[in-house]
Amino acid sequence: MRSAVLSIAVLAASALAYPVKECTRKVNKHTAVQYVDLTVTKTVYVTEGAAPKTKHAAPKPKVTTVVYVAPPPVETPAYQPPVYNAPAPEPKPSPKPEPVPEPVPEPVAVVPAPAPVAPAPVGDDQKCLEAHNKFRAAHGAKPLTWNTEMANFARDKTQDCTMHHSGGPYGENLAFGYTDVVEAITAWYEEKNQYNPSAPGFQMSTGHFTQLIWKATSEIGCYNRQCGGSQYLMCEYKTPGNVVGDNGKYFTENVQM
């Protein structure tokens, strides 16, 4: 290695001894130079010139001056482990609180006010109701209930003690001159002996009887007025009986013999 450097220095010194006729040219060449075991690329500056002419001197070869420039040291960065940006774990949603059911108040049972109860019939009123229901039961008709409103209606319509139909909205039976209400009602019922079920329909001689046992009738109200020495009995019925029309159809349905 030292001999090689020495040779290059001698060549450089001998080259400087000769005058340069032409302008110096800078030529960049890449020369691989081996230093021990390291191969680097150097920048080479070359100066070319012609040797002086002499009569007997042999022509000098062209010389090349090589200047070595040491490469800058290469710093190897220290190893840095890779950093991975791991995604942050998603926050777990907090559980929703379960709704607390609102207390439901217990329903308060509303007890309807009892309907006003009509006073039970007494005296002649009770006798009229019982006599009617006894005769109706013999003909398959349901028992009647007492209606005070209709009883008051009969009371008002008998004030003049003159027997006549009132023309009111109810069915109506009249009796005058009997000594007892049961006797008068029995007289109405005995008209059944004249009723012909083979020819159903209204007849003046049997109209009291058919109203008394009419199946569609459900309520009754009567008033027995004392007129001098006689009794005047008026009974009102709802629903009214003795409905005519349709070839006696309503009598067939409501009068059962």
Side-chain angles (χ1 to χ4, degrees):
M1 179 71 67
R2 287 184 180 179
S3 60
V5 173
L6 225 32
S7 301
I8 295 173
V10 172
L11 290 173
S14 59
L16 293 174
Y18 292 94
V20 179
K21 289 185 177 181
E22 297 179 359
C23 296
T24 302
R25 285 188 303 130
K26 182 180 178 182
V27 179
N28 291 331
K29 293 185 179 181
H30 296 285
T31 304
V33 180
Q34 186 174 4
Y35 291 91
V36 186
D37 57 351
L38 179 62
T39 301
V40 295
T41 301
K42 301 296 182 177
T43 301
V44 180
Y45 295 89
V46 178
T47 302
E48 294 181 351
K53 294 182 180 180
T54 57
K55 187 176 180 179
H56 299 288
K60 297 289 184 178
K62 294 182 179 180
V63 295
T64 301
T65 302
V66 179
V67 179
Y68 293 90
V69 180
V74 180
E75 295 183 0
T76 304
Y79 174 75
Q80 297 290 338
V83 178
Y84 299 97
N85 294 328
E90 295 183 358
K92 294 183 179 180
S94 56
K96 294 182 180 180
E98 295 183 359
V100 179
E102 296 182 0
V104 180
E106 295 184 0
V108 179
V110 178
V111 179
V117 179
V122 293
D124 286 344
D125 295 345
Q126 183 179 10
K127 291 179 181 179
C128 287
L129 181 62
E130 291 176 351
H132 274 80
N133 287 337
K134 181 185 71 172
F135 292 134
R136 287 173 63 84
H139 296 267
K142 294 181 179 179
L144 304 175
T145 58
W146 188 258
N147 188 312
T148 303
E149 181 180 350
M150 292 195 300
N152 294 336
F153 178 86
R155 179 196 62 195
D156 296 339
K157 296 300 180 181
T158 57
Q159 290 180 5
D160 59 1
C161 285
T162 301
M163 188 176 70
H164 62 277
H165 284 288
S166 66
Y170 311 113
E172 190 172 75
N173 275 352
L174 303 177
F176 191 93
Y178 292 90
T179 59
D180 182 77
V181 293
V182 175
E183 182 182 4
I185 294 171
T186 302
W188 295 339
Y189 177 70
E190 287 178 350
E191 292 178 0
K192 71 179 181 63
N193 298 326
Q194 303 177 54
Y195 185 77
N196 181 9
S198 300
F202 176 75
Q203 299 175 13
M204 292 296 296
S205 59
T206 59
H208 298 96
F209 162 71
T210 51
Q211 171 61 84
L212 192 155
I213 65 167
W214 195 266
K215 286 185 176 182
T217 301
S218 58
E219 298 176 62
I220 187 177
C222 301
Y223 190 78
N224 185 38
R225 181 176 292 279
Q226 298 294 325
C227 295
S230 301
Q231 296 183 11
Y232 179 17
L233 177 64
M234 177 181 286
C235 287
E236 306 296 320
Y237 303 89
K238 187 172 74 173
T239 303
N242 291 332
V243 180
V244 297
D246 204 1
N247 296 322
K249 170 185 176 182
Y250 304 108
F251 282 81
T252 301
E253 294 175 349
N254 289 279
V255 177
Q256 180 179 334
M257 298 299 291

PDB file of all heavy atoms in Angstrom, residues 19 22 64 84-85 90 110 127 135 139 158-159 164 188 202 204 206 222 230 233 257:
ATOM      1  N   PRO A  19       5.831  22.435 -18.458  1.00  0.00           N
ATOM      2  CA  PRO A  19       4.870  23.523 -18.665  1.00  0.00           C
ATOM      3  C   PRO A  19       3.638  23.017 -19.366  1.00  0.00           C
ATOM      4  O   PRO A  19       3.685  22.087 -20.134  1.00  0.00           O
ATOM      5  CB  PRO A  19       5.646  24.521 -19.526  1.00  0.00           C
ATOM      6  CG  PRO A  19       6.660  23.720 -20.238  1.00  0.00           C
ATOM      7  CD  PRO A  19       7.075  22.638 -19.307  1.00  0.00           C
ATOM      8  N   GLU A  22      -1.890  24.030 -22.930  1.00  0.00           N
ATOM      9  CA  GLU A  22      -3.326  24.213 -23.150  1.00  0.00           C
ATOM     10  C   GLU A  22      -4.015  24.472 -21.820  1.00  0.00           C
ATOM     11  O   GLU A  22      -3.456  24.266 -20.743  1.00  0.00           O
ATOM     12  CB  GLU A  22      -3.925  22.959 -23.799  1.00  0.00           C
ATOM     13  CG  GLU A  22      -3.331  22.707 -25.184  1.00  0.00           C
ATOM     14  CD  GLU A  22      -3.910  21.475 -25.804  1.00  0.00           C
ATOM     15  OE1 GLU A  22      -4.750  20.836 -25.128  1.00  0.00           O
ATOM     16  OE2 GLU A  22      -3.589  21.163 -26.923  1.00  0.00           O
ATOM     17  N   THR A  64      -1.483  11.777 -15.573  1.00  0.00           N
ATOM     18  CA  THR A  64      -2.788  12.019 -14.932  1.00  0.00           C
ATOM     19  C   THR A  64      -2.583  12.202 -13.445  1.00  0.00           C
ATOM     20  O   THR A  64      -1.891  11.396 -12.805  1.00  0.00           O
ATOM     21  CB  THR A  64      -3.754  10.829 -15.140  1.00  0.00           C
ATOM     22  OG1 THR A  64      -3.909  10.649 -16.552  1.00  0.00           O
ATOM     23  CG2 THR A  64      -5.092  11.091 -14.510  1.00  0.00           C
ATOM     24  N   TYR A  84     -46.693   1.058  16.611  1.00  0.00           N
ATOM     25  CA  TYR A  84     -48.003   0.792  16.036  1.00  0.00           C
ATOM     26  C   TYR A  84     -49.055   1.543  16.843  1.00  0.00           C
ATOM     27  O   TYR A  84     -49.093   1.443  18.073  1.00  0.00           O
ATOM     28  CB  TYR A  84     -48.323  -0.706  16.044  1.00  0.00           C
ATOM     29  CG  TYR A  84     -47.346  -1.518  15.228  1.00  0.00           C
ATOM     30  CD1 TYR A  84     -46.269  -2.177  15.842  1.00  0.00           C
ATOM     31  CD2 TYR A  84     -47.484  -1.618  13.847  1.00  0.00           C
ATOM     32  CE1 TYR A  84     -45.379  -2.915  15.102  1.00  0.00           C
ATOM     33  CE2 TYR A  84     -46.590  -2.360  13.099  1.00  0.00           C
ATOM     34  CZ  TYR A  84     -45.534  -3.010  13.724  1.00  0.00           C
ATOM     35  OH  TYR A  84     -44.653  -3.739  12.991  1.00  0.00           O
ATOM     36  N   ASN A  85     -49.836   2.292  16.122  1.00  0.00           N
ATOM     37  CA  ASN A  85     -50.926   3.014  16.795  1.00  0.00           C
ATOM     38  C   ASN A  85     -52.135   2.081  16.881  1.00  0.00           C
ATOM     39  O   ASN A  85     -52.953   2.015  15.966  1.00  0.00           O
ATOM     40  CB  ASN A  85     -51.288   4.288  16.030  1.00  0.00           C
ATOM     41  CG  ASN A  85     -50.153   5.291  16.057  1.00  0.00           C
ATOM     42  OD1 ASN A  85     -49.401   5.350  17.031  1.00  0.00           O
ATOM     43  ND2 ASN A  85     -50.026   6.076  14.991  1.00  0.00           N
ATOM     44  N   GLU A  90     -63.076   0.591  21.973  1.00  0.00           N
ATOM     45  CA  GLU A  90     -64.325   1.355  22.022  1.00  0.00           C
ATOM     46  C   GLU A  90     -64.933   1.232  23.416  1.00  0.00           C
ATOM     47  O   GLU A  90     -64.967   0.142  23.998  1.00  0.00           O
ATOM     48  CB  GLU A  90     -65.318   0.825  20.997  1.00  0.00           C
ATOM     49  CG  GLU A  90     -64.856   1.019  19.564  1.00  0.00           C
ATOM     50  CD  GLU A  90     -65.905   0.546  18.586  1.00  0.00           C
ATOM     51  OE1 GLU A  90     -66.953   0.046  19.059  1.00  0.00           O
ATOM     52  OE2 GLU A  90     -65.669   0.668  17.374  1.00  0.00           O
ATOM     53  N   VAL A 110    -116.957   1.443  41.118  1.00  0.00           N
ATOM     54  CA  VAL A 110    -118.028   2.427  41.236  1.00  0.00           C
ATOM     55  C   VAL A 110    -119.339   1.663  41.356  1.00  0.00           C
ATOM     56  O   VAL A 110    -119.760   0.967  40.429  1.00  0.00           O
ATOM     57  CB  VAL A 110    -118.058   3.364  40.008  1.00  0.00           C
ATOM     58  CG1 VAL A 110    -119.201   4.355  40.126  1.00  0.00           C
ATOM     59  CG2 VAL A 110    -116.724   4.080  39.880  1.00  0.00           C
ATOM     60  N   LYS A 127    -153.943  -6.480  46.390  1.00  0.00           N
ATOM     61  CA  LYS A 127    -154.925  -7.454  45.947  1.00  0.00           C
ATOM     62  C   LYS A 127    -155.034  -7.477  44.419  1.00  0.00           C
ATOM     63  O   LYS A 127    -155.168  -8.543  43.805  1.00  0.00           O
ATOM     64  CB  LYS A 127    -156.295  -7.127  46.554  1.00  0.00           C
ATOM     65  CG  LYS A 127    -156.392  -7.348  48.047  1.00  0.00           C
ATOM     66  CD  LYS A 127    -157.784  -6.983  48.565  1.00  0.00           C
ATOM     67  CE  LYS A 127    -157.908  -7.168  50.069  1.00  0.00           C
ATOM     68  NZ  LYS A 127    -159.264  -6.790  50.565  1.00  0.00           N
ATOM     69  N   PHE A 135    -154.127 -15.319  37.764  1.00  0.00           N
ATOM     70  CA  PHE A 135    -154.821 -15.672  36.525  1.00  0.00           C
ATOM     71  C   PHE A 135    -153.834 -15.778  35.341  1.00  0.00           C
ATOM     72  O   PHE A 135    -154.014 -16.630  34.469  1.00  0.00           O
ATOM     73  CB  PHE A 135    -155.907 -14.641  36.215  1.00  0.00           C
ATOM     74  CG  PHE A 135    -157.054 -14.675  37.189  1.00  0.00           C
ATOM     75  CD1 PHE A 135    -157.571 -13.492  37.745  1.00  0.00           C
ATOM     76  CD2 PHE A 135    -157.648 -15.889  37.559  1.00  0.00           C
ATOM     77  CE1 PHE A 135    -158.639 -13.520  38.637  1.00  0.00           C
ATOM     78  CE2 PHE A 135    -158.732 -15.915  38.455  1.00  0.00           C
ATOM     79  CZ  PHE A 135    -159.220 -14.732  38.998  1.00  0.00           C
ATOM     80  N   HIS A 139    -152.214 -19.194  32.261  1.00  0.00           N
ATOM     81  CA  HIS A 139    -152.145 -19.091  30.806  1.00  0.00           C
ATOM     82  C   HIS A 139    -150.709 -18.865  30.296  1.00  0.00           C
ATOM     83  O   HIS A 139    -150.528 -18.386  29.174  1.00  0.00           O
ATOM     84  CB  HIS A 139    -153.065 -17.971  30.320  1.00  0.00           C
ATOM     85  CG  HIS A 139    -154.508 -18.240  30.607  1.00  0.00           C
ATOM     86  ND1 HIS A 139    -155.364 -18.870  29.695  1.00  0.00           N
ATOM     87  CD2 HIS A 139    -155.280 -17.994  31.712  1.00  0.00           C
ATOM     88  CE1 HIS A 139    -156.563 -18.985  30.216  1.00  0.00           C
ATOM     89  NE2 HIS A 139    -156.552 -18.449  31.447  1.00  0.00           N
ATOM     90  N   THR A 158    -160.011   8.917  37.673  1.00  0.00           N
ATOM     91  CA  THR A 158    -161.270   8.416  38.274  1.00  0.00           C
ATOM     92  C   THR A 158    -161.904   9.430  39.231  1.00  0.00           C
ATOM     93  O   THR A 158    -162.880   9.093  39.939  1.00  0.00           O
ATOM     94  CB  THR A 158    -160.999   7.119  39.045  1.00  0.00           C
ATOM     95  OG1 THR A 158    -159.995   7.357  40.051  1.00  0.00           O
ATOM     96  CG2 THR A 158    -160.552   6.007  38.118  1.00  0.00           C
ATOM     97  N   GLN A 159    -161.408  10.656  39.246  1.00  0.00           N
ATOM     98  CA  GLN A 159    -161.890  11.633  40.232  1.00  0.00           C
ATOM     99  C   GLN A 159    -163.357  12.018  40.020  1.00  0.00           C
ATOM    100  O   GLN A 159    -164.074  12.358  40.981  1.00  0.00           O
ATOM    101  CB  GLN A 159    -161.013  12.890  40.194  1.00  0.00           C
ATOM    102  CG  GLN A 159    -159.599  12.691  40.742  1.00  0.00           C
ATOM    103  CD  GLN A 159    -158.767  13.958  40.698  1.00  0.00           C
ATOM    104  OE1 GLN A 159    -159.278  15.041  40.339  1.00  0.00           O
ATOM    105  NE2 GLN A 159    -157.499  13.853  41.047  1.00  0.00           N
ATOM    106  N   HIS A 164    -165.451   5.866  32.334  1.00  0.00           N
ATOM    107  CA  HIS A 164    -165.144   6.079  30.917  1.00  0.00           C
ATOM    108  C   HIS A 164    -163.634   5.853  30.722  1.00  0.00           C
ATOM    109  O   HIS A 164    -162.848   6.037  31.648  1.00  0.00           O
ATOM    110  CB  HIS A 164    -165.536   7.485  30.464  1.00  0.00           C
ATOM    111  CG  HIS A 164    -164.784   8.570  31.200  1.00  0.00           C
ATOM    112  ND1 HIS A 164    -165.188   9.037  32.445  1.00  0.00           N
ATOM    113  CD2 HIS A 164    -163.660   9.260  30.873  1.00  0.00           C
ATOM    114  CE1 HIS A 164    -164.341   9.973  32.850  1.00  0.00           C
ATOM    115  NE2 HIS A 164    -163.407  10.127  31.907  1.00  0.00           N
ATOM    116  N   TRP A 188    -163.581  -9.930  35.054  1.00  0.00           N
ATOM    117  CA  TRP A 188    -162.839  -9.767  33.794  1.00  0.00           C
ATOM    118  C   TRP A 188    -162.326 -11.113  33.285  1.00  0.00           C
ATOM    119  O   TRP A 188    -162.410 -11.417  32.100  1.00  0.00           O
ATOM    120  CB  TRP A 188    -161.635  -8.827  33.983  1.00  0.00           C
ATOM    121  CG  TRP A 188    -162.008  -7.399  34.316  1.00  0.00           C
ATOM    122  CD1 TRP A 188    -163.201  -6.783  34.078  1.00  0.00           C
ATOM    123  CD2 TRP A 188    -161.148  -6.443  34.945  1.00  0.00           C
ATOM    124  NE1 TRP A 188    -163.159  -5.476  34.500  1.00  0.00           N
ATOM    125  CE2 TRP A 188    -161.898  -5.238  35.055  1.00  0.00           C
ATOM    126  CE3 TRP A 188    -159.854  -6.447  35.444  1.00  0.00           C
ATOM    127  CZ2 TRP A 188    -161.380  -4.065  35.625  1.00  0.00           C
ATOM    128  CZ3 TRP A 188    -159.336  -5.284  36.001  1.00  0.00           C
ATOM    129  CH2 TRP A 188    -160.088  -4.097  36.089  1.00  0.00           C
ATOM    130  N   PHE A 202    -159.756  -9.415  18.511  1.00  0.00           N
ATOM    131  CA  PHE A 202    -160.411  -8.623  19.551  1.00  0.00           C
ATOM    132  C   PHE A 202    -161.935  -8.720  19.441  1.00  0.00           C
ATOM    133  O   PHE A 202    -162.502  -8.635  18.351  1.00  0.00           O
ATOM    134  CB  PHE A 202    -159.984  -7.157  19.446  1.00  0.00           C
ATOM    135  CG  PHE A 202    -160.680  -6.281  20.423  1.00  0.00           C
ATOM    136  CD1 PHE A 202    -160.323  -6.288  21.769  1.00  0.00           C
ATOM    137  CD2 PHE A 202    -161.713  -5.439  20.012  1.00  0.00           C
ATOM    138  CE1 PHE A 202    -160.986  -5.475  22.669  1.00  0.00           C
ATOM    139  CE2 PHE A 202    -162.372  -4.621  20.921  1.00  0.00           C
ATOM    140  CZ  PHE A 202    -162.001  -4.637  22.254  1.00  0.00           C
ATOM    141  N   MET A 204    -165.469  -7.286  21.886  1.00  0.00           N
ATOM    142  CA  MET A 204    -165.877  -6.456  23.014  1.00  0.00           C
ATOM    143  C   MET A 204    -166.224  -7.294  24.237  1.00  0.00           C
ATOM    144  O   MET A 204    -166.011  -6.871  25.374  1.00  0.00           O
ATOM    145  CB  MET A 204    -167.100  -5.613  22.613  1.00  0.00           C
ATOM    146  CG  MET A 204    -166.795  -4.543  21.576  1.00  0.00           C
ATOM    147  SD  MET A 204    -165.644  -3.271  22.189  1.00  0.00           S
ATOM    148  CE  MET A 204    -166.640  -2.558  23.501  1.00  0.00           C
ATOM    149  N   THR A 206    -164.803 -10.027  25.236  1.00  0.00           N
ATOM    150  CA  THR A 206    -163.659 -10.723  25.832  1.00  0.00           C
ATOM    151  C   THR A 206    -162.426  -9.829  25.977  1.00  0.00           C
ATOM    152  O   THR A 206    -161.343 -10.298  26.354  1.00  0.00           O
ATOM    153  CB  THR A 206    -163.259 -11.939  24.969  1.00  0.00           C
ATOM    154  OG1 THR A 206    -162.912 -11.505  23.640  1.00  0.00           O
ATOM    155  CG2 THR A 206    -164.406 -12.939  24.897  1.00  0.00           C
ATOM    156  N   CYS A 222    -153.072   0.235  39.348  1.00  0.00           N
ATOM    157  CA  CYS A 222    -154.529   0.327  39.482  1.00  0.00           C
ATOM    158  C   CYS A 222    -154.896   1.325  40.591  1.00  0.00           C
ATOM    159  O   CYS A 222    -154.096   1.604  41.493  1.00  0.00           O
ATOM    160  CB  CYS A 222    -155.146  -1.039  39.847  1.00  0.00           C
ATOM    161  SG  CYS A 222    -154.825  -2.349  38.635  1.00  0.00           S
ATOM    162  N   SER A 230    -170.488   2.825  45.846  1.00  0.00           N
ATOM    163  CA  SER A 230    -169.936   1.920  44.835  1.00  0.00           C
ATOM    164  C   SER A 230    -168.415   2.126  44.701  1.00  0.00           C
ATOM    165  O   SER A 230    -167.858   3.150  45.109  1.00  0.00           O
ATOM    166  CB  SER A 230    -170.599   2.154  43.479  1.00  0.00           C
ATOM    167  OG  SER A 230    -172.011   1.946  43.567  1.00  0.00           O
ATOM    168  N   LEU A 233    -163.073   0.881  39.797  1.00  0.00           N
ATOM    169  CA  LEU A 233    -161.722   0.329  39.625  1.00  0.00           C
ATOM    170  C   LEU A 233    -161.213   0.605  38.207  1.00  0.00           C
ATOM    171  O   LEU A 233    -161.887   0.290  37.228  1.00  0.00           O
ATOM    172  CB  LEU A 233    -161.732  -1.189  39.880  1.00  0.00           C
ATOM    173  CG  LEU A 233    -160.389  -1.895  39.660  1.00  0.00           C
ATOM    174  CD1 LEU A 233    -159.318  -1.411  40.651  1.00  0.00           C
ATOM    175  CD2 LEU A 233    -160.554  -3.420  39.788  1.00  0.00           C
ATOM    176  N   MET A 257    -154.487 -20.188  25.572  1.00  0.00           N
ATOM    177  CA  MET A 257    -155.632 -20.807  26.238  1.00  0.00           C
ATOM    178  C   MET A 257    -155.264 -22.163  26.830  1.00  0.00           C
ATOM    179  O   MET A 257    -154.372 -22.844  26.368  1.00  0.00           O
ATOM    180  CB  MET A 257    -156.787 -20.962  25.269  1.00  0.00           C
ATOM    181  CG  MET A 257    -157.311 -19.644  24.730  1.00  0.00           C
ATOM    182  SD  MET A 257    -157.946 -18.582  26.065  1.00  0.00           S
ATOM    183  CE  MET A 257    -159.410 -19.497  26.542  1.00  0.00           C
TER     184      MET A 257
END
